[in-house]
Amino acid sequence: MAKAKTNKDYKASSSKKLLSIVAILVLIAIIAVVIVLCIPANTYSAVERLKQFSQSSFLESPSEQREYSQVEEKIAASTLDYYITEIDDIRVLCDGINDILDYYDEFLALATDNDILSDNYKTIKNNLEDAMEYQQSLNSYMEEILGLSNNADSHLRNLWIDFRVTFTDYLSGMTSVIDALNNCYQGCFEVNLANNLASTIILNTVDDYLTVITADFKDIVETDEKNTTSRDYNYITHGKITLLNDFVEAYIVDDGNIVEYNFTDSLKTSYQEINSFFELYNQENFISLIESINSNGEITLTFQQEDADGVYDAVKDFISAR
Amino acid sequence: MKKKFLLSLMACFVIGSSLTLAACGDNGNKVNSYEGFTTAINTYLEDETLFKEGTTIGNIWTEFYFDNFTYKNSYGNQIEGDANYILLNAYGMNYIQEYYVLLNTLDEGNYNFEALNNSLSRLNESFEEVKMESKNVLNAVSNVNLDIYNGFFANYKDKARVFINSVYDTAIELSDFLIDQANICDGLGSDSQTSEQIEFYMDTQILYIFDDIRNLLLESGEGQEFIGNELYDGAVAELSYYASTSTKNIMMSVSPEVMGDVIELTNLLAGEREFTNKALENFSLYDYVELYTGSIEDYMQDDVNAETYYTQLQKYFSNSDSYLEKYHTYIEVEIYE
């Protein structure tokens, strides 16, 4: 004969049910947290970070620009005035970087959420976060510089060297961000009038310029150290920064070549000619052209091979924004 | 154990039945679809309240010109309502009228007419509603009270907006059907292309462009007129241009090679359209003008991407060298010459 359930049995059953409910709720909470943590990057997150940064990137704000100008004046009035070209070029370079970020900012909100965005999101996110920290350090160095007395050139030099080291890290990070944004641009706007051979070549050239300029700054960081003399300082990047700025003005700020490409046969012809350079002389030689830019903004590399089609000259003109 | 087995079996039966029913859904047939469209078009034309007799707008002759589409000004004069409504409706209805007949020429095959038939049903329902409002306006003409008359016009305009949206829904379902299922454009860009195919293709591209403008004016702009707003004015100018130009005619005798170039460009425009649609989904022209008084900075307080969306819309619709303008300029200059 079956034993009737006692009160004790029913209580045990209720406890079991309560435990089950709690366990399910905990499981749901865990799953929700895992989903949130592992959620793939979406366009909105990338856009939000880029927009937040591009509105306050280094030397974007008038107050930072004023402070930087004061730093420049202080150094110009010291025995360290040989740094002035570099200091001025950093301002020009930051302007160019901000224009490039603005260009990508115009598109990113419309990008297709796909694997390419996910793959590049981490690079964008992490480097922008680092850039904001570097920017705080750069501002601190500027404050320290401005706080120095007029006869503290040795200390001033050391601070400028520290500033340069941090700026080079900032520049390296921004180069990575811009490269990742380029990947998103080319990969997240598959069929689009503004994603074409012209935009590919132009944006890849910007990446190449920034890579070369970043390498130059790393060289200066290694050679112009605190225990060296001014004779070890060899700043060779002025021409490259000037040409990059011209290039950005000509092809990014004025994006006519990109917008018109699909509607203008002559543009198609000229960019196909530039593109043929990579098939004839490869990417390394293209970068070598940029590396060979001297302080006067002239491309000094000459090719030994015969260039019957004039592709080399066409590419030189393109890089020089002529 | 037995209970669990029975429950599992029942679940399988229910799922299987559902799938079977879904697979055996009514896909329609070409005769019913063709007759459905024929009945609809005849009904619309025979009804004397909604559409005027054949009228020309630019280069477009239409039997679907909204009648009684007028409001009264402070002097009591009847003024024609938003011309964009009339033009958009005319082109969309013309397209349906011209190309539904191809349903009657389909080869035997396995077609799915469901989406097309459903869109026509919605169009018919909308027709009945807008027809009533047109009648109300007509009946109110002699009413000297401006507010009452204009109130009827406001209702008419509202239903007309819904009707136009349904027209384009149906027209695009029809174009999708003819392209994707009836393969009507197969061979375009090759030696076997025909002038009929070219005409259909170009009419369809212009339909899509009109639909883009409809989306901006009637959805994002909520059917309001924002004369003086650069985006609105630019889009309206493009609408008027396409209505008055002979872009299509330039294409009628092009070679397969040139047709291939145009198809390539048109596919890129279609890609751009996807990003424009994304911008339209997220940007309200109505809010931009009415709520944010034309300040993109104010709009960005509520949506940080507002400027991006607005810039895309300007690039597509209204810049002096907008993509829509570039498209027809390319055909008229590069192709024609």
Side-chain angles (χ1 to χ4, degrees):
Chain A
M1 192 172 160
K3 186 182 166 187
K5 273 194 174 173
T6 62
N7 281 344
K8 190 178 167 192
D9 290 332
Y10 282 121
K11 278 185 189 167
S13 179
S14 294
S15 301
K16 268 194 188 170
K17 276 188 189 171
L18 187 61
L19 268 174
S20 302
I21 292 167
V22 170
I24 288 168
L25 287 173
V26 168
L27 187 61
I28 290 171
I30 291 170
I31 291 170
V33 167
V34 167
I35 287 171
V36 168
L37 288 177
C38 298
I39 194 167
N42 60 31
T43 320
Y44 186 78
S45 303
V47 168
E48 202 180 355
R49 288 188 186 277
L50 179 61
K51 201 163 278 293
Q52 181 189 16
F53 181 79
S54 65
Q55 286 169 356
S56 59
S57 53
F58 188 56
L59 297 185
E60 176 79 8
S61 72
S63 60
E64 256 178 13
Q65 289 171 21
R66 261 195 311 274
E67 208 165 46
Y68 192 75
S69 293
Q70 289 168 358
V71 166
E72 187 172 10
E73 282 167 15
K74 194 173 186 78
I75 291 178
S78 73
T79 59
L80 308 174
D81 56 351
Y82 54 88
Y83 285 145
I84 287 308
T85 304
E86 178 192 347
I87 293 171
D88 204 46
D89 282 347
I90 285 174
R91 181 191 292 109
V92 171
L93 182 57
C94 287
D95 276 348
I97 287 172
N98 292 337
D99 285 338
I100 297 163
L101 292 178
D102 285 344
Y103 182 82
Y104 285 116
D105 200 16
E106 261 188 31
F107 287 92
L108 202 58
L110 299 168
T112 305
D113 254 322
N114 57 19
D115 290 344
I116 293 172
L117 183 67
S118 300
D119 291 344
N120 287 277
Y121 173 70
K122 207 170 181 181
T123 302
I124 295 169
K125 171 180 172 290
N126 291 345
N127 281 287
L128 286 181
E129 283 173 357
D130 289 345
M132 288 170 87
E133 287 183 18
Y134 293 139
Q135 190 175 349
Q136 285 178 356
S137 298
L138 291 172
N139 277 294
S140 296
Y141 286 131
M142 288 200 292
E143 279 176 30
E144 274 194 73
I145 286 171
L146 294 176
L148 288 178
S149 64
N150 287 338
N151 297 318
D153 283 10
S154 176
H155 199 175
L156 179 61
R157 180 167 179 256
N158 288 343
L159 280 173
W160 178 253
I161 288 171
D162 287 338
F163 180 97
R164 183 197 293 126
V165 168
T166 304
F167 178 75
T168 302
D169 289 336
Y170 172 88
L171 178 61
S172 181
M174 292 316 302
T175 300
S176 298
V177 167
I178 289 170
D179 179 61
L181 287 169
N182 187 10
N183 294 338
C184 292
Y185 187 96
Q186 294 192 37
C188 301
F189 294 95
E190 281 185 58
V191 181
N192 175 264
L193 285 165
N195 182 15
N196 49 53
L197 184 60
S199 65
T200 300
I201 291 174
I202 288 167
L203 297 176
N204 286 350
T205 302
V206 166
D207 284 355
D208 290 341
Y209 256 114
L210 287 173
T211 301
V212 168
I213 290 168
T214 301
D216 276 5
F217 268 88
K218 286 181 178 173
D219 283 343
I220 301 170
V221 164
E222 285 178 8
T223 54
D224 189 38
E225 291 181 310
K226 289 179 185 177
N227 56 353
T228 63
T229 69
S230 61
R231 284 192 296 271
D232 298 304
Y233 177 66
N234 182 25
Y235 181 69
I236 58 167
T237 319
H238 174 69
K240 290 168 193 151
I241 291 176
T242 303
L243 284 195
L244 170 61
N245 193 51
D246 291 346
F247 188 90
V248 168
E249 287 290 326
Y251 296 114
I252 304 270
V253 176
D254 175 358
D255 60 356
N257 276 205
I258 294 174
V259 170
E260 295 285 345
Y261 176 82
N262 284 299
F263 301 96
T264 313
D265 290 342
S266 58
L267 273 178
K268 286 182 184 173
T269 303
S270 67
Y271 277 93
Q272 280 158 5
E273 184 181 36
I274 295 167
N275 195 47
S276 68
F277 180 95
F278 299 101
E279 291 157 14
L280 293 169
Y281 304 121
N282 72 45
Q283 173 77 14
E284 284 73 29
N285 279 313
F286 189 88
I287 293 174
S288 298
L289 286 171
I290 297 173
E291 286 171 339
S292 79
I293 296 171
N294 64 17
S295 295
N296 296 325
E298 296 158 336
I299 296 174
T300 59
L301 181 68
T302 55
F303 274 0
Q304 302 306 312
Q305 298 108 309
E306 190 180 319
D307 181 31
D309 296 324
V311 173
Y312 169 68
D313 283 339
V315 167
K316 270 179 63 175
D317 286 347
F318 169 70
I319 290 174
S320 308
R322 283 203 288 266
Chain B
M1 180 70 182
K2 191 175 174 183
K3 194 176 176 181
K4 280 185 185 172
F5 173 74
L6 283 172
L7 278 172
S8 304
L9 194 63
M10 195 185 298
C12 287
F13 177 76
V14 168
I15 292 167
S17 302
S18 305
L19 287 173
T20 306
L21 276 172
C24 294
D26 184 10
N27 291 339
N29 60 69
K30 76 173 188 180
V31 172
N32 286 349
S33 272
Y34 174 74
E35 284 179 358
F37 272 92
T38 303
T39 302
I41 295 293
N42 288 341
T43 302
Y44 299 173
L45 291 177
E46 283 162 9
D47 186 280
E48 292 177 356
T49 49
L50 186 57
F51 298 122
K52 288 182 182 179
E53 289 181 0
T55 315
T56 301
I57 313 169
N59 270 356
I60 297 173
W61 185 87
T62 182
E63 295 179 277
F64 302 102
Y65 193 111
F66 280 135
D67 203 356
N68 311 309
F69 197 68
T70 59
Y71 64 94
K72 284 186 179 177
N73 65 10
S74 55
Y75 299 106
N77 301 324
Q78 281 177 272
I79 309 294
E80 191 162 73
D82 192 337
N84 300 315
Y85 278 61
I86 295 171
L87 179 51
L88 283 168
N89 182 69
Y91 191 88
M93 282 304 308
N94 279 6
Y95 184 92
I96 294 171
Q97 183 186 38
E98 178 156 1
Y99 290 112
Y100 90 86
V101 298
L102 295 180
L103 295 174
N104 203 31
T105 63
L106 293 174
D107 295 331
E108 290 307 313
N110 196 12
Y111 304 103
N112 188 340
F113 294 90
E114 190 177 359
L116 185 58
N117 293 342
N118 288 343
S119 72
L120 182 62
S121 294
R122 290 191 295 271
L123 182 62
N124 288 336
E125 285 172 14
S126 185
F127 169 77
E128 292 300 322
E129 291 180 1
V130 71
K131 179 183 80 171
M132 286 308 303
E133 298 303 336
S134 175
K135 200 180 256 185
N136 289 339
V137 167
L138 179 64
N139 292 339
V141 164
S142 57
N143 194 318
V144 298
N145 188 311
L146 278 181
D147 288 339
I148 291 176
Y149 178 84
N150 286 339
F152 281 119
F153 172 69
N155 291 342
Y156 181 15
K157 194 177 176 188
D158 187 52
K159 292 298 180 188
R161 179 162 80 102
V162 174
F163 180 73
I164 295 168
N165 291 342
S166 292
V167 167
Y168 278 83
D169 183 44
T170 302
I172 288 173
E173 284 292 347
L174 179 61
S175 73
D176 287 349
F177 179 90
L178 292 172
I179 293 170
D180 297 334
Q181 294 197 57
N183 301 316
I184 200 167
C185 287
D186 279 7
L188 201 57
S190 73
D191 290 338
S192 62
Q193 74 180 16
T194 64
S195 57
E196 289 81 13
Q197 283 179 316
I198 295 174
E199 184 169 13
F200 169 79
Y201 181 81
M202 292 309 299
D203 278 342
T204 304
Q205 300 318 309
I206 295 171
L207 175 75
Y208 294 156
I209 289 169
F210 270 50
D211 188 50
D212 295 336
I213 298 172
R214 177 206 61 80
N215 200 352
L216 176 69
L217 300 186
L218 301 194
E219 308 255 26
S220 179
E222 298 189 21
Q224 302 302 308
E225 291 181 82
F226 294 119
I227 297 167
N229 173 270
E230 180 200 343
L231 181 57
Y232 177 90
D233 289 345
V236 167
E238 283 302 317
L239 189 67
S240 300
Y241 183 89
Y242 274 100
S244 61
T245 193
S246 54
T247 305
K248 180 181 79 170
N249 294 344
I250 292 167
M251 294 294 301
M252 293 311 293
S253 56
V254 295
S255 68
E257 189 187 348
V258 170
M259 190 68 219
D261 289 343
V262 173
I263 291 172
E264 200 178 310
L265 179 66
T266 307
N267 287 344
L268 290 172
L269 185 71
E272 193 71 36
R273 176 175 293 124
E274 285 192 26
F275 298 107
T276 302
N277 284 342
K278 197 169 180 177
L280 282 168
E281 281 165 23
N282 291 283
F283 185 89
S284 167
L285 177 60
Y286 181 88
D287 285 352
Y288 172 65
V289 176
E290 296 289 346
L291 191 61
Y292 301 107
T293 58
S295 166
I296 203 65
E297 289 77 20
D298 287 351
Y299 203 144
M300 286 171 73
Q301 297 298 316
D302 291 335
D303 185 345
V304 70
N305 296 317
E307 187 174 19
T308 299
Y309 300 135
Y310 191 60
T311 302
Q312 174 65 19
L313 296 177
Q314 286 177 308
K315 281 183 194 173
Y316 192 79
F317 289 109
S318 65
N319 282 352
S320 60
D321 55 352
S322 68
Y323 285 131
L324 289 188
E325 178 169 334
K326 280 196 222 298
Y327 181 70
H328 65 69
T329 302
Y330 178 82
I331 292 174
E332 288 151 16
V333 175
E334 302 277 340
I335 303 297
Y336 183 63
E337 290 182 356

